[in-house]
Amino acid sequence: MKLYVTGGTGLVGSNVIRLARRRGFEVVASQFGPEPEWPVDYTLDALDLSDHEAIRRSILQHEPDAVIHAAAILDHRLMYDRRDMCWSMMVDGTRVMGEACREVGARMVFVSSDWVFDGRAGLVDECSPPNPVNFYGVMKVVAERDLLAMDGLDAAVARLAGIYGLNYAAQSLQRKDNGLGFDFSVYVMYRLAAGLPAAVWTGPKVNDEANPTLASDCADLLLRLAAHDGQGIFHCFGSEWIGRMELAYRIADVFDADRSLIYPMLTPEAVLDEALHIGIPYRTRAKTERTAAALGRRACNVDEGLAAFRQEWDAFWG
Ligand SMILES: NC(=O)c1ccc[n+]([C@@H]2O[C@H](COP(=O)([O-])OP(=O)(O)OC[C@H]3O[C@@H](n4cnc5c(N)ncnc54)[C@H](OP(=O)(O)O)[C@@H]3O)[C@@H](O)[C@H]2O)c1
């Protein structure tokens, strides 16, 4: 299979590429910012997803069998400051990517998010109505709908949630902080692994529960989806939801760290002030059974994912 991946320098995309190459897929990856820090064994093609002509050119040039479209802007402040640019990249760019896929007969897997939900609805599944509470979620929902409504396009939406793992494109990209506690698991892991205290933000401005998902695990689900013929929405999340404090404790256990290094802390006032207008889904608990049945396996639960991650961590950092 010839696979085209966007967002290949990202946490998700770098894991997709790594697994795809291990499985012998030919890979083309769009490249936006700096090149990966290590030599790569796949083709890179420079592409800004706000440049719609360039998207079409790139897809027509490479004629992939499938596209995994994982690129996104995840900086919420940037999203609110530069709405036009973000909409052009996240919504219009995704639609243009879908049109280009249709033109070359490629299957399109669009990576979306559990943040299409408001986190107030209890347990949600693939058919639950979305109700985004921030601009990011709105853009994801609109892009999902655009693609699934496109006549003649072979398309699947893969929603992800609470991703943690190793970024295999660049060591300098291992930890991200967008100021809203987005990269929560990764933050806790790096603190505890270094023997440092780890604050767990609490209060109204946090994603208090979610289905944490190991990036390499969801990469397998995304590759299954790329080779599948199912249309519609798939929940490629970890198969268990958990609260932030409990997740931090489980991370401590798997890293043989002292649980007392973990302490709850009200989200700092400065963050609350600055991000007051940005809605955060509170408790995103999602069911994954329908997706597991379609793709032939469920994703890791919390302990399975963390145990697998510990092995990846040890292999990577030595
Ligand atoms: N991380 C999570 O917890 C989470 C949860 C739910 C869903 N998701 C979804 O999963 C996908 C991957 O997320 P991630 O965590 O891997 O994000 P990430 O690490 O921030 O990677 C984002 C990728 O998008 C690329 N990108 C940004 N702007 C671009 C542009 N204008 N044109 C082309 N590429 C651009 C980035 O390139 P550069 O590196 O060159 O800037 C990077 O490769 C996204 O669609 C996200 O919405 C993530």
Side-chain angles (χ1 to χ4, degrees):
M1 179 192 286
K2 185 172 184 182
L3 184 68
Y4 188 105
V5 181
T6 70
T9 47
L11 184 51
V12 172
S14 67
N15 277 273
V16 168
I17 292 172
R18 184 167 183 263
L19 197 57
R21 290 296 300 133
R22 286 184 163 189
R23 291 182 183 174
F25 294 11
E26 183 182 350
V27 173
V28 178
S30 70
Q31 180 207 331
F32 176 56
E35 281 190 23
E37 284 172 12
W38 298 294
V40 300
D41 59 357
Y42 53 87
T43 304
L44 283 168
D45 193 6
L47 178 64
D48 177 349
L49 287 157
S50 323
D51 182 346
H52 299 158
E53 253 316 297
I55 295 175
R56 184 168 175 273
R57 262 201 314 275
S58 184
I59 295 297
L60 263 58
Q61 180 195 338
H62 294 290
E63 294 191 317
D65 301 305
V67 170
I68 295 181
H69 180 30
I73 293 165
L74 295 165
D75 181 329
H76 291 266
R77 292 198 178 98
L78 180 68
M79 278 178 235
Y80 283 88
D81 289 348
R82 299 197 55 201
R83 294 180 195 208
D84 291 351
M85 183 277 287
C86 292
W87 186 272
S88 168
M89 184 266 175
M90 303 266 282
V91 179
D92 297 335
T94 300
R95 194 190 59 250
V96 171
M97 179 68 79
E99 288 164 354
C101 285
R102 181 171 58 183
E103 216 172 321
V104 300
R107 175 165 169 80
M108 174 149 176
V109 175
F110 170 56
V111 177
S112 186
S113 169
D114 62 334
W115 279 27
V116 299
F117 298 114
D118 59 13
R120 305 270 168 189
L123 202 49
V124 289
D125 67 16
E126 293 84 342
C127 299
S128 303
N131 183 28
V133 293
N134 55 42
F135 189 42
Y136 170 77
V138 169
M139 290 191 286
K140 288 291 192 188
V141 170
V142 176
E144 287 184 355
R145 301 291 288 191
D146 281 354
L147 288 178
L148 296 179
M150 206 179 279
D151 273 345
L153 174 66
D154 177 11
V157 168
R159 290 187 183 141
L160 308 185
I163 303 291
Y164 64 94
L166 292 163
N167 185 316
Y168 287 104
Q171 202 151 314
S172 56
L173 295 175
Q174 292 303 337
R175 282 195 51 201
K176 276 180 298 151
D177 177 8
N178 71 4
L180 298 181
F182 184 84
D183 250 352
F184 169 69
S185 314
V186 180
Y187 159 79
V188 174
M189 283 161 191
Y190 277 79
R191 297 286 296 182
L192 295 182
L196 297 167
V200 176
W201 287 0
T202 60
K205 212 68 186 172
V206 295
N207 189 190
D208 191 50
E209 279 181 3
N211 291 49
T213 308
L214 177 61
S216 59
D217 194 37
C218 77
D220 171 64
L221 295 182
L222 291 171
L223 290 181
R224 284 171 187 247
L225 202 46
H228 200 265
D229 58 4
Q231 313 289 303
I233 293 172
F234 295 81
H235 278 182
C236 301
F237 311 145
S239 56
E240 187 183 11
W241 64 88
I242 188 169
R244 290 163 73 81
M245 279 303 285
E246 180 57 25
L247 177 58
Y249 287 138
R250 303 263 192 109
I251 293 170
D253 294 346
V254 92
F255 276 88
D256 306 314
D258 182 354
R259 277 184 170 218
S260 68
L261 289 171
I262 296 162
Y263 63 98
M265 182 180 128
L266 272 176
T267 307
E269 282 300 325
V271 175
L272 290 177
D273 285 350
E274 217 183 319
L276 209 56
H277 60 297
I278 302 175
I280 305 289
Y282 186 47
R283 287 183 170 150
T284 41
R285 301 173 180 168
K287 287 175 75 166
T288 57
E289 285 81 356
R290 194 185 304 249
T291 295
L295 299 186
R297 64 170 283 254
R298 66 166 175 77
C300 292
N301 64 26
V302 174
D303 287 337
E304 290 164 348
L306 289 176
F309 178 65
R310 177 69 205 251
Q311 287 181 0
E312 291 177 14
W313 174 284
D314 289 343
F316 187 81
W317 294 109

